[in-house]
Amino acid sequence: MKLQASLLTLALATVSLSKPTARQSTSFVKADGQSFTLDGQPYTVFGSNSYWVGLTGLTTDEMDVTFQDIVETGGTTVRTWGFNEVTSASGDYYQLWNGSTPTINYGSTGLENFDNVVAAAKANNIRLIVTLTNNWSNYGGMDVYVDQILGEGQPHDYFYSNPEVIAAFQNYVKVWIERYIEEPTIFGWELANEPRCTGSTNATSGTCTTTTITDWVKTMSSYIKSLDSNHLVGLGDEGWFNLSNSTDYAYDGSQGVDFDANLAIDTIDFGTFHLYPYTWSEETPSAMVWGQEWIENHRDAQATYNKPVLMEEFGVYADQNQTTTYENWYSTVIDGGLSGVLIWQAGSNLTSGLTPNDGFTIYPDTPVYYLEEQFSAQLKAKN
Ligand SMILES: *[C@@H]1O[C@H](CO)[C@@H](O)[C@H](O)[C@H]1NC(C)=O
Ligand SMILES: *[C@@H]1O[C@H](CO)[C@@H](O)[C@H](O)[C@H]1NC(C)=O
Ligand SMILES: *[C@@H]1O[C@H](CO)[C@@H](O)[C@H](O)[C@H]1NC(C)=O
Ligand SMILES: *[C@@H]1O[C@H](CO)[C@@H](O)[C@H](O)[C@H]1NC(C)=O
Ligand SMILES: *[C@@H]1O[C@H](CO)[C@@H](O)[C@H](O)[C@H]1NC(C)=O
Ligand SMILES: *[C@@H]1O[C@H](CO)[C@@H](O)[C@H](O)[C@H]1NC(C)=O
Ligand SMILES: CC(=O)N[C@H]1CO[C@H](CO)[C@@H](O)[C@@H]1O
């Protein structure tokens, strides 16, 4: 007894010496009205996206640095990819397709690797939003399911409606849920990154509408809830509205997403939206002002449906008044009472080199990195 006790003390001392702040609550994050909570206290969702942390062959030390860099901005929450569909094995991937048969990669370049991501996040007191497929062809995504099961070049939107494809995606999702159902480091599951009727190619059935995707969101989110009552479920969409009186494609339902209808679904716990006015060609009268209204409109929906809503991706390039725009948007989020915000995207300078830079990457010790520190403190103080 005594020996065991002193060994335990020694072990705890070692842990607390190497990582003084590394004690994560063993509770799950919950949604309560328009807030997230942890152990009954407000849980602030502030942080970043790192789609790459489990997909680019990082060592566990590099994963640790990745999360430390985000923690230093005041980050609590990181969104990352829980998918990579391949047809021949290479790098880190989760599902290898041969014809219409997918095989899960449980090994050191697959789910074992993701176990390391979870461990590194947990050691840094970070929680993870895990997105389970992609609208776009980056890292496989929906079109791989459609092509492998139904044949090359079949419509992208059959992902949402074909029973065989839905069953294959459910089988995949179930593997993740069963592996991590007791893991509080997982903040929640997201059905897909940026679901739309169209994908990276132009192949569509011509019959996809907001109803198609909303029906799929009902099917998938209730499927997840039937297996996993621990974790939150969100969609991962860009937040398009479906207003019959608008001619702006972000508001007119033409992308196949109805933000309100999706947020109203019982088995969806929180809403998500993205903000890229330049890539969306939404630059008038000013991209910053357009974005401010976009945030306010989603904040209003948050109040209407009494569920938390996250601005979970946003970006303008460095030469597009980036700092001023981000100050304005962070302030709009915080002053307006939106539930949380994640920037696109985190960056680190690792032993193996700089992490991916798509022009939006925020590396340590840069002006926007310091801006994140400032606004995370404001949001925490408000909560
Ligand atoms: C793929 O499936 C076919 C048909 O079932 C099988 O003959 C072949 O060996 C499989 N290929 C691999 C690499 O497993
Ligand atoms: C999609 O359609 C646009 C406009 O018609 C065309 O310019 C583009 O090449 C098409 N892309 C693919 C992948 O077919
Ligand atoms: C989108 O708006 C149209 C036109 O008002 C409506 O018929 C449709 O049901 C809406 N979509 C959803 C998913 O509610
Ligand atoms: C369009 O419809 C929305 C929702 O019904 C409403 O809030 C808004 O005022 C309408 N806009 C115009 C210009 O009629
Ligand atoms: C940056 O802001 C200035 C002053 O408000 C404006 O004139 C300019 O058009 C903006 N540039 C971009 C790329 O938005
Ligand atoms: C990344 O780190 C290396 C090694 O410390 C250093 O030489 C390099 O300048 C750094 N790069 C950037 C962009 O900070
Ligand atoms: C955010 C994102 O994943 N964007 C991708 C959408 O799809 C196009 C085409 O594959 C890519 O170029 C973008 O990077």
Side-chain angles (χ1 to χ4, degrees):
M1 275 298 263
K2 200 153 197 197
L3 181 65
Q4 274 173 10
S6 63
L7 276 177
L8 182 63
T9 310
L10 186 64
L12 286 173
T14 311
V15 167
S16 69
L17 271 180
S18 61
K19 276 236 179 312
T21 58
R23 233 169 57 85
Q24 195 187 62
S25 161
T26 54
S27 304
F28 294 91
V29 176
K30 298 291 173 198
D32 182 8
Q34 296 174 51
S35 305
F36 294 106
T37 61
L38 181 64
D39 297 320
Q41 300 299 311
Y43 174 84
T44 301
V45 177
F46 189 97
S48 194
N49 284 266
S50 168
Y51 72 84
W52 41 265
V53 63
L55 289 174
T56 48
L58 301 189
T59 64
T60 52
D61 283 349
E62 289 177 318
M63 292 173 183
D64 194 48
V65 173
T66 296
F67 290 119
Q68 276 173 29
D69 285 344
I70 296 169
V71 167
E72 279 172 26
T73 66
T76 62
T77 310
V78 173
R79 179 168 175 262
T80 195
W81 289 175
F83 59 85
N84 186 17
E85 308 296 327
V86 298
T87 50
S88 65
S90 91
D92 293 323
Y93 66 93
Y94 298 110
Q95 205 160 228
L96 173 62
W97 290 81
N98 175 14
S100 59
T101 308
T103 304
I104 299 284
N105 181 5
Y106 287 97
S108 61
T109 56
L111 285 164
E112 266 178 35
N113 185 56
F114 202 83
D115 292 345
N116 294 333
V117 173
V118 171
K122 190 197 283 271
N124 286 287
N125 205 17
I126 285 280
R127 279 178 163 73
L128 298 171
I129 297 178
V130 179
T131 306
L132 294 162
T133 190
N134 203 354
N135 191 68
W136 313 110
S137 57
N138 315 71
Y139 298 97
M142 297 179 183
D143 289 339
V144 174
Y145 287 82
V146 171
D147 285 354
Q148 295 301 126
I149 294 170
L150 303 176
E152 192 90 27
Q154 289 293 307
H156 174 76
D157 52 293
Y158 283 1
F159 183 81
Y160 307 112
S161 58
N162 180 276
E164 276 179 82
V165 174
I166 290 175
F169 185 48
Q170 289 182 339
N171 287 339
Y172 178 69
V173 167
K174 189 175 182 196
V175 168
W176 283 76
I177 289 173
E178 287 178 344
R179 194 172 187 93
Y180 297 114
I181 190 163
E182 300 297 344
E183 180 50 74
T185 302
I186 308 288
F187 172 100
W189 306 113
E190 272 185 10
L191 303 184
N193 178 51
E194 304 187 339
R196 295 193 196 184
C197 283
T198 52
S200 295
T201 70
N202 291 345
T204 50
S205 67
T207 59
C208 181
T209 67
T210 52
T211 310
T212 312
I213 293 183
T214 295
D215 286 349
W216 174 80
V217 176
K218 286 179 188 159
T219 302
M220 282 308 306
S221 60
S222 62
Y223 176 75
I224 293 178
K225 287 290 179 187
S226 75
L227 300 175
D228 183 353
S229 56
N230 288 335
H231 292 108
L232 299 172
V233 178
L235 176 51
D237 59 317
E238 291 150 296
W240 312 121
F241 289 104
N242 177 37
L243 306 179
S244 53
N245 61 5
S246 178
T247 52
D248 176 340
Y249 84 104
Y251 285 90
D252 70 3
S254 59
Q255 303 309 302
V257 169
D258 181 330
F259 185 77
D260 292 273
N262 295 332
L263 192 55
I265 296 169
D266 286 349
T267 42
I268 286 291
D269 296 304
F270 63 96
T272 54
F273 71 95
H274 300 178
L275 176 49
Y276 296 99
Y278 290 100
T279 21
W280 293 350
S281 317
E282 300 290 0
E283 303 165 34
T284 51
S286 111
M288 187 175 83
V289 171
W290 190 92
Q292 198 179 328
E293 286 170 5
W294 187 243
I295 296 168
E296 286 163 353
N297 288 328
H298 288 87
R299 184 270 326 275
D300 291 349
Q302 169 185 298
T304 302
Y305 297 97
N306 197 31
K307 287 182 186 180
V309 171
L310 296 180
M311 174 150 92
E312 61 162 19
E313 281 194 24
F314 63 93
V316 301
Y317 292 118
D319 63 356
Q320 293 170 330
N321 291 338
Q322 193 186 50
T323 310
T324 317
T325 302
Y326 287 0
E327 278 174 341
N328 177 286
W329 291 351
Y330 273 131
S331 295
T332 305
V333 164
I334 294 169
D335 300 345
L338 194 82
S339 308
V341 57
L342 308 176
I343 198 170
W344 184 275
Q345 65 167 323
S348 288
N349 188 358
L350 302 174
T351 313
S352 59
L354 290 170
T355 61
N357 190 356
D358 58 1
F360 296 118
T361 305
I362 307 301
Y363 295 106
D365 305 323
T366 57
V368 175
Y369 190 80
Y370 294 122
L371 208 63
E372 288 179 62
E373 278 183 1
Q374 183 191 326
F375 283 102
S376 65
Q378 279 189 26
L379 187 57
K380 284 176 185 171
K382 186 163 184 185
N383 283 340

